[in-house]
Amino acid sequence: MNGSLHSNVVDIELKRGLAGLGFNIVGGVDQPYVANDCGIYVSKIKEDGAAALDGRLEEGDKILMINGVKLEDQTHNEVVNLFRKAGEDVELCVLKKQKMCAVNNTVTLTTPQSKYYERVTNTISPSCQRTT
């Protein structure tokens, strides 16, 4: 992977509401959502949920860590359990989809930053084989 990939990693802190965090996930080593990538992705943002009210998490974003725990090589259910045990305040490290803005026929890519830049260097794995 190239170095520019990490410029799209952001930290998002959510406070669990009455309806939870307000989003659904897909993926995991047992249920890859993207070919050659067993990561965890946001599949739906629930209206009026914590994620929708915060506004930063989007469908298609890849969740790299929950409260500092890397999600690579985890099954879908293991990640669901991490979310359930994460507490009221949940910190996510997220790989954002790259967005493009066109102004005067010039394309600009947005590049959010994360304090976890160093920690996610080896998080994005092209392999869906579990290593235990």
Side-chain angles (χ1 to χ4, degrees):
M1 298 282 168
N2 64 36
S4 64
L5 180 66
H6 299 295
S7 63
N8 290 323
V9 176
V10 296
D11 301 322
I12 299 174
E13 294 179 23
L14 297 175
K15 188 170 198 70
R16 190 180 302 272
L18 295 175
L21 295 171
F23 63 93
N24 294 346
I25 59 169
V26 292
V29 293
D30 58 332
Q31 306 176 26
Y33 176 68
V34 175
N36 298 317
D37 183 345
C38 49
I40 300 295
Y41 289 85
V42 176
S43 61
K44 180 175 175 59
I45 302 290
K46 298 176 182 178
E47 243 180 76
D48 297 326
L53 294 173
D54 178 81
R56 294 176 289 171
L57 194 64
E58 299 174 288
E59 293 175 5
D61 287 349
K62 182 176 182 178
I63 302 173
L64 303 175
M65 288 193 272
I66 303 169
N67 291 342
V69 177
K70 289 184 180 182
L71 301 187
E72 78 176 359
D73 298 326
Q74 302 250 8
T75 67
H76 183 84
N77 284 334
E78 288 171 334
V79 174
V80 168
N81 286 329
L82 282 173
F83 272 113
R84 286 185 177 145
K85 297 176 184 177
E88 187 175 330
D89 296 312
V90 180
E91 187 170 338
L92 304 175
C93 181
V94 175
L95 178 64
K96 299 293 292 175
K97 295 184 298 184
Q98 204 167 49
K99 295 181 182 180
M100 292 186 276
C101 296
V103 178
N104 297 328
N105 296 325
T106 302
V107 175
T108 304
L109 301 177
T110 62
T111 55
Q113 295 293 318
S114 169
K115 69 180 180 182
Y116 288 111
Y117 176 82
E118 296 297 324
R119 292 174 65 184
V120 298
T121 301
N122 296 316
T123 298
I124 302 152
S125 170
S127 170
C128 285
Q129 294 181 2
R130 190 172 186 155
T131 56
T132 52

